[in-house]
Amino acid sequence: MADKTAFEIPEQMRALADKSVDQAKKAFDEFMGATVKAVEKSETSAKTLQSSARDVNRQALAFLEANVAASFDFAQKLVRARTVEELGQIQQEYLKSQVETAQSQSKDMAEAIGKAASSVQQPGKK
């Protein structure tokens, strides 16, 4: 059998190395904890963003549906008009209604987008 070569490290060096390893492990554990929290927060933000985008999309679709319905209603009224004056009145009423609707929908959409942006910045508050 081969003789074992003595390998002596002073006790102070061992203690220092042991302490360094413990500190490195503690720093790594803290880093991993912070990383896990960051990932969880980004996942929460992504879910909140998806939910908010879904809400905005639904509202946009509702506006689209209402606008198309108003257009069909307008077309039906035009088809039933008997005079040029009646055509003009129907056109005027439709334009006035569409301007009011557009203003209302723009305001509502801006609020919905603002809420969506706010909910992404502050998850958990809706």
Side-chain angles (χ1 to χ4, degrees):
M1 267 177 115
D3 289 335
K4 293 184 181 180
T5 305
F7 183 70
E8 286 195 35
I9 298 176
E11 192 55 39
Q12 289 177 331
M13 289 291 284
R14 285 185 192 274
L16 182 60
D18 191 41
K19 185 176 178 182
S20 295
V21 169
D22 285 344
Q23 287 176 341
K25 184 182 181 317
K26 182 180 176 187
F28 179 75
D29 289 344
E30 289 174 1
F31 170 78
M32 287 305 297
T35 301
V36 167
K37 286 180 184 178
V39 167
E40 288 172 352
K41 185 174 181 178
S42 71
E43 288 173 349
T44 300
S45 293
K47 287 177 186 174
T48 302
L49 178 61
Q50 287 175 337
S51 175
S52 297
R54 194 171 24 255
D55 293 344
V56 170
N57 287 339
R58 285 184 182 140
Q59 188 167 17
L61 287 173
F63 290 159
L64 176 63
E65 186 177 10
N67 292 339
V68 169
S71 296
F72 279 120
D73 185 49
F74 170 63
Q76 285 179 335
K77 288 178 182 178
L78 284 178
V79 170
R80 294 181 187 139
R82 300 279 182 215
T83 65
V84 174
E85 291 80 17
E86 193 177 352
L87 283 173
Q89 183 180 357
I90 292 169
Q91 175 75 23
Q92 186 178 16
E93 288 171 2
Y94 175 75
L95 290 175
K96 180 181 177 195
S97 171
Q98 286 305 103
V99 167
E100 290 170 356
T101 299
Q103 288 173 340
S104 174
Q105 289 175 350
S106 295
K107 179 182 174 226
D108 292 347
M109 189 58 75
E111 288 175 5
I113 291 170
K115 286 179 184 177
S118 177
S119 69
V120 170
Q121 291 174 352
Q122 301 171 354
K125 293 183 180 181
K126 264 194 158 185

